[in-house]
Amino acid sequence: MCHSNVRKCLAKNLSTELQRERMDTYISTADPSVLLCLGMTAAFGIITFYKAKKNQVEKRCISARGLLLLFLLEILCFVMLKSYIGLILFSMACLICNIYLSVQTMLPVDNKAVLITGSDSGFGHALAKYLDNLGFVVFAGVLNKNGSGAEELKRSCSQRLCVLQMDITSSAQIKEAYLKISEMVQNTGLWGVVNNAGILGFPADGELLPMSVYKQCMDVNFFGHVETTKMFLPLLRKSKGRLINISSMAGGIPMTRFAAYGASKAALSMFSGVMRQELAKWGIKVAAVHPAGFKTCIQGTSELWAKQEKHLLENLTPDVKKDYGEDYIEALKNFLLHMPVHSEPDLSPVLDDVLHALLAKSPHGLYTPGKSAYLTLCIFCYFPLWLYDLYIGKLQSNKSVPSALRASEAKNKNT
């Protein structure tokens, strides 16, 4: 028993000595590569923190992401059997990180002029205040120049901000806004156009929605933005500025009850993609923003819901009304009631992404601010559709069932 313990102790000590010898041999043979890797790590770490500190506007995750990538590839470097292969990988990581950090470099504000449509409330209203506070010259297009939202902007913002009457479904108002802005910016041009104005409509099954809802959503959420973009592109060309279209998560993925709204936002997203490719030769950068659920005024008021529900019922054929049942349509209002409950009150993720799209030297083509926005898009793009349908069905669970289906289920149970 004693001899056995002695043998185990000797073997353990021998093993430890061998490991030490191997480590010493590895360090001595790979000494130049190891020192070079460590030197690059230190240098790049200093550069990372310097850029993150210098870039105060875009601070989120710059150093964290850069150093995390460094750390992971540092491990790869030393785990590789041949140290020079690890060094190559590590050098590539440094290059990628430097490219990433250069993307985050922000331009100065320097009184850049930006047009924001739909500034009466919601994202547009908050963005107008946010950019004005940062020193931008803001042209806030509103649906009602004498409304409470416009008055709030006049009262709370600086004298740089200019409120413009701009219903984007009116060609005359778009042209009038263009003439006023072009007169004010003159040769400097307009740095940014943020197409934000939008309507939701009454969320309901696509079969239930009247054609007037589809047309209205397309007029406001798509055609209005296209006409605004076409009108102001000459001013953007002068400054080699930015075009930013506020789409929606529903514009990138199919979501039940959003047939009209989602289709109009999907059209806007596709328009953004095409414009990004076509306007690159002019030096204009284009971005689409797909926010998740945020608490804005887009869902409207209870009075508006009642009016839209009445309009919906009046346009249904007798067969469709019978199959769905008025109780099913009545229950759709519960979805509207619960929207604010499941929406984020803090709009800062959207505001920060729009600011990045305006000022980053190399902005992203797509931004997905908000919880689950990017995750849901990834599930839709990379997983089987049945899994996505299951996932979105859980998110938008609705216990209400059309009348005809309830009757069919009851009949099957009785037979």
Side-chain angles (χ1 to χ4, degrees):
M1 185 73 176
C2 183
H3 290 295
S4 176
N5 289 335
V6 170
R7 281 197 298 271
K8 286 181 179 178
C9 288
L10 288 172
K12 186 176 181 180
N13 290 334
L14 182 60
S15 176
T16 304
E17 288 298 324
L18 286 172
Q19 287 177 0
R20 286 177 181 171
E21 285 181 13
R22 287 176 181 173
M23 183 62 69
D24 291 341
T25 303
Y26 175 77
I27 291 175
S28 62
T29 55
D31 210 31
S33 299
V34 170
L35 290 176
L36 187 56
C37 283
L38 290 174
M40 289 174 68
T41 302
F44 188 71
I46 293 169
I47 293 170
T48 301
F49 278 113
Y50 173 74
K51 287 189 176 181
K53 186 177 179 181
K54 186 179 178 182
N55 190 358
Q56 293 297 321
V57 180
E58 176 61 37
K59 296 183 291 186
R60 297 175 300 159
C61 301
I62 292 179
S63 58
R65 289 179 183 175
L67 292 177
L68 177 61
L69 187 54
L70 269 177
F71 176 71
L72 292 175
L73 277 123
E74 184 78 14
I75 293 173
L76 273 178
C77 175
F78 289 110
V79 167
M80 295 296 293
L81 292 175
K82 293 184 178 181
S83 58
Y84 70 87
I85 298 177
L87 178 60
I88 292 171
L89 287 175
F90 185 70
S91 300
M92 289 173 64
C94 289
L95 178 62
I96 292 168
C97 286
N98 266 305
I99 292 171
Y100 170 77
L101 286 173
S102 66
V103 167
Q104 307 305 317
T105 304
M106 307 292 278
L107 301 170
V109 174
D110 286 344
N111 287 317
K112 288 181 170 63
V114 177
L115 167 66
I116 307 167
T117 65
S119 298
D120 305 77
S121 61
F123 294 141
H125 188 83
L127 185 62
K129 288 183 175 180
Y130 182 56
L131 296 184
D132 175 73
N133 188 51
L134 290 173
F136 284 87
V137 175
V138 177
F139 296 101
V142 295
L143 184 63
N144 183 4
K145 194 176 181 180
N146 299 315
S148 58
E151 293 298 327
E152 168 65 17
L153 289 177
K154 294 173 188 175
R155 184 170 56 254
S156 62
C157 295
S158 71
Q159 293 184 349
R160 290 188 308 273
L161 185 138
C162 178
V163 175
L164 299 173
Q165 176 62 42
M166 192 175 176
D167 177 355
I168 63 169
T169 63
S170 167
S171 299
Q173 289 191 20
I174 293 173
K175 187 171 183 179
E176 186 179 353
Y178 168 77
L179 292 174
K180 286 183 180 178
I181 292 174
S182 59
E183 183 181 353
M184 294 178 72
V185 299
Q186 295 182 355
N187 294 328
T188 59
L190 185 66
W191 177 256
V193 171
V194 182
N195 285 316
N196 166 74
I199 59 168
L200 177 66
F202 190 82
D205 299 53
E207 186 180 7
L208 298 175
L209 292 173
M211 284 306 300
S212 58
V213 174
Y214 284 95
K215 291 175 181 178
Q216 187 182 24
C217 281
M218 290 300 292
D219 282 342
V220 178
N221 299 341
F222 179 61
F223 291 123
H225 294 318
V226 172
E227 188 168 0
T228 300
T229 299
K230 286 169 62 65
M231 181 65 69
F232 284 92
L233 273 178
L235 295 182
L236 289 182
R237 263 198 297 275
K238 284 184 179 180
S239 63
K240 295 184 178 180
R242 308 294 166 87
L243 172 64
I244 301 165
N245 293 317
I246 309 297
S247 182
S248 167
M249 191 165 72
I253 58 173
M255 299 177 69
T256 57
R257 305 184 193 91
F258 289 121
Y261 175 76
S264 63
K265 288 295 189 178
L268 181 62
S269 296
M270 183 59 70
F271 175 71
S272 299
V274 174
M275 288 293 101
R276 186 183 68 251
Q277 296 169 345
E278 293 179 352
L279 296 178
K281 58 180 171 286
W282 297 101
I284 299 172
K285 293 179 171 62
V286 183
V289 182
H290 284 202
F294 287 91
K295 193 176 290 185
T296 64
C297 300
I298 194 169
Q299 70 268 18
T301 62
S302 55
E303 292 80 10
L304 179 62
W305 302 344
K307 183 179 178 181
Q308 290 175 336
E309 182 188 17
K310 182 182 177 184
H311 179 63
L312 186 149
L313 287 168
E314 288 174 349
N315 284 273
L316 290 178
T317 62
D319 288 344
V320 174
K321 187 183 292 187
K322 180 182 176 182
D323 286 344
Y324 280 88
E326 290 193 24
D327 57 336
Y328 177 85
I329 298 168
E330 176 70 22
L332 290 172
K333 284 196 294 188
N334 293 330
F335 181 74
L336 279 166
L337 289 169
H338 286 90
M339 276 184 68
V341 177
H342 299 290
S343 300
E344 287 292 320
D346 181 16
L347 305 184
S348 59
V350 179
L351 305 184
D352 290 341
D353 279 351
V354 173
L355 180 64
H356 187 273
L358 283 170
L359 291 182
K361 283 189 177 180
S362 300
H364 310 311
L366 174 66
Y367 294 85
T368 53
K371 293 180 180 178
S372 302
Y374 189 69
L375 173 64
T376 310
L377 185 63
C378 286
I379 292 174
F380 174 69
C381 292
Y382 301 113
F383 288 83
L385 286 178
W386 64 265
L387 182 62
Y388 168 78
D389 291 343
L390 181 66
Y391 171 75
I392 207 71
K394 294 291 184 182
L395 287 181
Q396 295 185 304
S397 58
N398 181 24
K399 296 179 180 179
S400 182
V401 179
S403 175
L405 292 178
R406 289 200 306 269
S408 177
E409 289 174 4
K411 184 178 179 181
N412 289 335
K413 286 181 180 179
N414 294 329
T415 56

